[in-house]
Amino acid sequence: MAKASRYYRAMLLSLYLFLTICFSLLSLHETPINPKPLYMGLGLIAIITIGFITMRIFALNGDAMLFLLSNFLCGIGLVMIYRVNESLAYRQFIWITGGIATFIVFTFLFKYYSYVMKYHWLFGATSLMLLFITIIFGREIGGSTNWIVISGHSFQPSEFVKILFCIASASFLKDRNETKDVLLYGSFVATVVLLLFAQKDLGTALIFFMTGIVFVYVATGKPVYPLIGIILLVTGAVLSYLIFSHVRVRFEAWLNPWMDVPGKGYQIVQSLFAIGAGGLFGSGLGLGHPEYIPAVSTDLIFSILVEEFGLLVGLAVIAIYLFIFVRAYISAMSSNDRLKELLLTGIASMLAFQTFIIIGGVTKFIPLTGVTLPFISYGGSSIVTSFSLLGIMNSLSLEEGTK
């Protein structure tokens, strides 16, 4: 334990050093020198420290690794957001503070997960209600009608549905693995996906669908269900291509972005230019060209990150994501609790699919869809939801670690 504590303290000091250097460079980048970025960096260090101490004191010395790694991702995201839009960075700072608080709350709450998850029907029904309400009262932003705006403040209900979906799925499938159970659960997943289709939020629909497949496979252990899921996925992709014009644009841009660079291929071409311009070591913080990249603080933030920090840092970010996901899968496999196994696997898979879809999209590995990069992209709904899911993972993982 003492060795682990020393290791965590070393990680924490490394995070402090990284944030201090980055925000100091942003201060020095302006003429005259602007101390505001450094103040923000010191503020973030203070928030992370308070969160870390709180978790260590009140959360049974939980999995500090998850907390530290996720805060490194948040830190580098905040650096890039400040770099491209100062006003957004102040809002993101507030969301990160709220996210860390949510992480602590969910870590505590899911120490009693067996009580929380008794109400899976309520969580499932609330998921469908939130998505249905969004269709009726939602506002279209960026081509998708997936935002609710109240008194000038907007949020994405589908982000919060991720939490409810995972809880409802794990709780329902924990002792149900017959065909009729899978069909009933499949109808729930299909309803969620169709409601997201109606909002034209196809990237999020894909995340829920793939996570649903994982839940079914873990619950039943039968490979026929993932096979059926893949067939349905291909069928859905073809139908989306035929129905939605913006899907055809994204698909054609993926096949040949150079065919129409100023039009259909603009997003992916600018992303590839930025990644290529960065090389292995990057152009340097503050020396890239985020003004050429659309949605640079949200969907395409990984592109400017690689441009200014370099491909090696980009690969390190991907490695951190993999480490978080693998850590959750190992905890799930080592658990004898069916409910815990399902929930850990489902949450890790949902975050993993989201990460793969957006990084795969901006690097042209797969067609680009509009989803955020967990912990890094700008957005309050995304940050709070990601920290909430991580808090659940942390709570369940630490309980395994204390056995």
Side-chain angles (χ1 to χ4, degrees), residues 3 34 58 98 327 339 380 391 400:
K3 184 178 179 181
N34 181 6
F58 297 106
R327 201 169 176 87
L339 183 57
E400 286 305 312

Side-chain angles (χ1 to χ4, degrees), residues 359-378:
I359 291 183
V362 301
T363 55
K364 198 182 167 297
F365 185 70
I366 59 175
L368 180 62
T369 56
V371 297
T372 55
L373 184 59
F375 301 108
I376 293 181
S377 291
Y378 170 76

Side-chain angles (χ1 to χ4, degrees), residues 223-273:
V224 65
Y225 292 121
L227 184 61
I228 294 172
I230 291 172
I231 293 172
L232 292 174
L233 179 64
V234 173
T235 305
V238 172
L239 289 175
S240 299
Y241 180 84
L242 296 174
I243 295 172
F244 299 112
S245 59
H246 68 283
V247 174
R248 290 195 291 275
V249 169
R250 295 286 178 93
F251 188 75
E252 290 165 5
W254 173 61
L255 288 177
N256 185 6
W258 312 106
M259 179 179 60
D260 184 13
V261 173
K264 297 177 181 178
Y266 185 75
Q267 279 190 323
I268 187 62
V269 166
Q270 294 303 326
S271 174
L272 294 176
F273 275 147

Side-chain angles (χ1 to χ4, degrees), residues 269-296:
V269 166
Q270 294 303 326
S271 174
L272 294 176
F273 275 147
I275 293 172
L280 282 179
F281 303 104
S283 59
L285 184 59
L287 301 178
H289 294 282
E291 65 274 17
Y292 297 140
I293 307 174
V296 68

Side-chain angles (χ1 to χ4, degrees), residues 141-153:
I141 299 176
S144 300
T145 314
N146 57 353
W147 291 86
I148 294 288
V149 181
I150 300 176
S151 301
H153 301 284

Side-chain angles (χ1 to χ4, degrees), residues 336-357:
N336 296 320
D337 186 322
R338 187 72 167 157
L339 183 57
K340 191 182 298 182
E341 179 189 12
L342 279 163
L343 192 53
L344 278 170
T345 306
I347 290 175
S349 299
M350 178 161 279
L351 290 173
F353 286 133
Q354 183 173 339
T355 304
F356 170 75
I357 286 172

